[in-house]
Amino acid sequence: AQKVTQAQTEISVVEKEDVTLDCVYETRDTTYYLFWYKQPPSGELVFLIRRNSFDEQNEISGRYSWNFQKSTSSFNFTITASQVVDSAVYFCALSEALGANNLFFGTGTRLTVIP
Amino acid sequence: DAGVTQSPTHLIKTRGQQVTLRCSPISGHKSVSWYQQVLGQGPQFIFQYYEKEERGRGNFPDRFSARQFPNYSSELNVNALLLGDSALYLCASSLWLAGFYEQYFGPGTRLTVT
């Protein structure tokens, strides 16, 4: 069975601080994909990153970075020098097997960046 | 290019009524998925359709049904509404991209059941 756990329900940081959002997943598949989505108050899910299970290379995109560790089944997301516009709910998600289209989402972490 | 569109934006229904939600995918996308997001939770998969055929179904009762039309737009129907059906309903259109479906989400329809 698949499961995504985001233990942090809410995080508040002061602007310019770094913040890491944790994600732990469970799956029996050897081929799977991991995602992070941002959901601002408008409600639309904004895609941030996709990672496949064969690529453990960490990725950096501007102020965003992701740390994928299969050994601990974790896919953590770090925002460097946070900004007020980063305030949103962030979801980690898992998709099993090539061609499968359904995403299993965690319960989300609400990030509030205080100016 | 236009993104995924959903209608209506908001909807208020009474228990026991039926509702139809609509989704238009991005041009060229042949797959549509539906998700339910209850307040404070992550989205939950309801259905996937590809080329008008159901390809996947989540753990939802038979009160939930969907279909996809020849132009790849989709409708989600929910019968005999319950208070617990109040949620944001998200549609995602998908493009097959190098071995994976890349999903693009619409703004959602917020359904309130009173």
Side-chain angles (χ1 to χ4, degrees):
Chain A
Q2 58 290 119
K3 187 178 179 181
V4 176
T5 301
Q6 294 180 256
Q8 304 151 309
T9 307
E10 294 190 33
I11 299 177
S12 291
V13 298
V14 177
E15 199 172 20
K16 297 185 183 177
E17 286 184 345
D18 299 346
V19 58
T20 295
L21 310 182
D22 298 333
C23 174
V24 174
Y25 63 92
E26 294 177 29
T27 177
R28 293 178 183 172
D29 275 19
T30 56
T31 302
Y32 54 90
Y33 291 80
L34 295 166
F35 303 79
W36 277 95
Y37 284 87
K38 175 182 180 180
Q39 189 174 44
S42 62
E44 189 166 344
L45 283 169
V46 177
F47 168 82
L48 296 177
I49 190 172
R50 178 185 72 249
R51 225 43 186 157
N52 73 53
S53 51
F54 299 109
D55 182 4
E56 287 192 71
Q57 191 172 6
N58 292 329
E59 183 159 338
I60 298 174
S61 176
R63 297 184 297 107
Y64 296 169
S65 62
W66 291 269
N67 184 307
F68 177 28
Q69 293 195 353
K70 286 180 76 171
S71 60
T72 56
S73 296
S74 64
F75 186 44
N76 296 337
F77 172 32
T78 298
I79 302 174
T80 303
S82 59
Q83 300 176 1
V84 173
V85 293
D86 296 328
S87 296
V89 181
Y90 290 85
F91 290 97
C92 180
L94 164 75
S95 181
E96 293 178 327
L98 290 173
N101 213 35
N102 48 308
L103 295 165
F104 297 95
F105 285 85
T107 52
T109 298
R110 180 177 297 279
L111 173 65
T112 302
V113 181
I114 303 165
Chain B
D1 284 343
V4 179
T5 58
Q6 293 185 242
S7 63
T9 306
H10 295 87
L11 202 52
I12 300 175
K13 290 286 190 178
T14 304
R15 273 178 299 178
Q17 286 187 317
Q18 174 265 343
V19 68
T20 298
L21 311 181
R22 296 176 176 82
C23 172
S24 292
I26 294 170
S27 177
H29 289 197
K30 299 181 179 180
S31 178
V32 169
S33 296
W34 288 94
Y35 291 80
Q36 180 197 63
Q37 186 179 13
V38 173
L39 192 64
Q41 300 294 316
Q44 271 196 293
F45 172 71
I46 311 175
F47 285 111
Q48 183 214 351
Y49 276 78
Y50 178 77
E51 289 276 16
K52 296 173 287 180
E53 290 191 4
E54 181 181 306
R55 289 296 184 91
R57 183 182 184 120
N59 188 23
F60 280 81
D62 291 343
R63 299 185 296 107
F64 288 77
S65 63
R67 55 180 176 168
Q68 188 177 31
F69 299 98
N71 67 353
Y72 304 113
S73 67
S74 177
E75 286 183 352
L76 175 69
N77 295 286
V78 186
N79 293 322
L81 285 167
L82 303 174
L83 294 179
D85 296 331
S86 296
L88 178 68
Y89 288 85
L90 295 162
C91 171
S93 89
S94 306
L95 177 68
W96 183 253
L97 186 70
F100 186 79
Y101 281 107
E102 189 76 28
Q103 296 198 54
Y104 299 82
F105 283 86
T109 293
R110 188 165 296 281
L111 172 65
T112 301
V113 182
T114 62

